[in-house]
Every structure is written in C-alpha cells, then in structure tokens.
C-alpha cells in the first residue's frame, strides 16, 4: 500500500495525463484536446476503473500505476525534446560559447587579449 500512496491520487494522475496530451496534440486546426480519441479513451478508462461505494476495483490500482508510469514517460519525452531543441544542431561553437553554456568565463591574457 505504501507504493500506492506514493503515486498520488488518480485524479491528479488523470489531470497530468490530460496536460501532457494538450502539449503533445497542440492546437490542430482549432480542435480541442478533449475531442481527441486518446483523451476520450483515457477518460473512459479512468471512469470504468474508479472505486464506487458498491465495489472495490482491484484493477484500479493497476490502472493507476500504469497511468502514472505513462505520465512519467510523456513528461520525460517532452522535456528531452525541449533540451534537444535548445542544445542540439547549432553547429560548431567557440570555446567562449561553450564555457558560457555552463556558466564559466575564459581567462583573459594580459593586455586584454583573449585566448585565440
């Protein structure tokens, strides 16, 4: 049960997945992400596996774990693509530019000349 507590609530996971779908789908021709088949499937799956007062759905815990794992995957892919876009494909950089990326400054030679 401790692992389930670490997952958070199913509603929070659902909202996170919906947010990632919004990022992934973007604004295609004025369509809402709620019209997408992926969102409708997600919504229906969460509704079908929720706990009611009449029954305890064991599959809900499995669904929640899988949904949280998928949410982690979607976030990681989005963040990876953002980093890739920011730092890849700009061609060769000078040593000053590379040092600036990591927050360093190259030392100056006496007389104001930099390293050449």
């Amino acid at each position: 049960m401790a692992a389930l507590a670490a997952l958070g609530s199913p509603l929070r996971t659902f909202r996170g997945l919906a947010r990632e779908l919004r990022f992934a789908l973007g604004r295609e021709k004025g369509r809402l992400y709620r019209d997408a088949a992926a969102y409708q499937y997600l919504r229906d799956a969460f509704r079908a596996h929720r706990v009611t007062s009449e029954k305890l759905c064991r599959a809900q815990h499995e669904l929640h774990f899988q949904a949280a794992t998928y949410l982690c995957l979607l976030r990681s892919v989005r963040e990876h693509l953002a980093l890739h876009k920011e730092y890849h494909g700009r061609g060769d950089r000078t040593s000053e530019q590379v040092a600036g990326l990591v927050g360093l400054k190259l030392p100056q030679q006496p007389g104001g000349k930099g390293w050449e």
Side-chain angles (χ1 to χ4, degrees):
M1 252 348 196
L4 291 176
L7 289 176
S9 74
L11 180 60
R12 186 173 184 179
T13 304
F14 176 77
R15 286 180 177 164
L17 284 167
R19 182 174 35 252
E20 291 301 321
L21 277 175
R22 254 194 335 264
F23 288 135
L25 297 175
R27 296 202 176 258
E28 296 176 4
K29 304 173 189 165
R31 290 182 52 203
L32 294 175
Y33 72 98
R34 290 183 177 154
D35 295 336
Y39 176 82
Q40 292 171 3
Y41 173 79
L42 182 68
R43 182 194 61 213
D44 294 343
F46 268 84
R47 282 184 181 164
H49 291 88
R50 69 180 165 203
V51 175
T52 64
S53 60
E54 299 172 2
K55 67 176 182 171
L56 173 64
C57 184
R58 291 178 184 249
Q60 181 200 26
H61 301 301
E62 183 178 342
L63 173 77
H64 188 204
F65 180 76
Q66 287 177 351
T69 303
Y70 191 59
L71 173 59
C72 180
L73 172 74
L74 289 175
R75 278 187 187 148
S76 298
V77 166
R78 179 176 49 87
E79 291 170 0
H80 168 76
L81 289 174
L83 287 172
H84 185 73
K85 183 179 178 183
E86 183 174 348
Y87 293 108
H88 186 71
R90 293 191 181 174
D92 290 337
R93 295 186 173 140
T94 65
S95 351
E96 268 184 25
Q97 291 172 330
V98 173
L101 281 176
V102 293
L104 300 175
K105 240 183 167 179
L106 291 178
Q108 297 290 321
Q109 286 185 346
K113 293 185 178 178
W115 295 93
E116 295 180 15

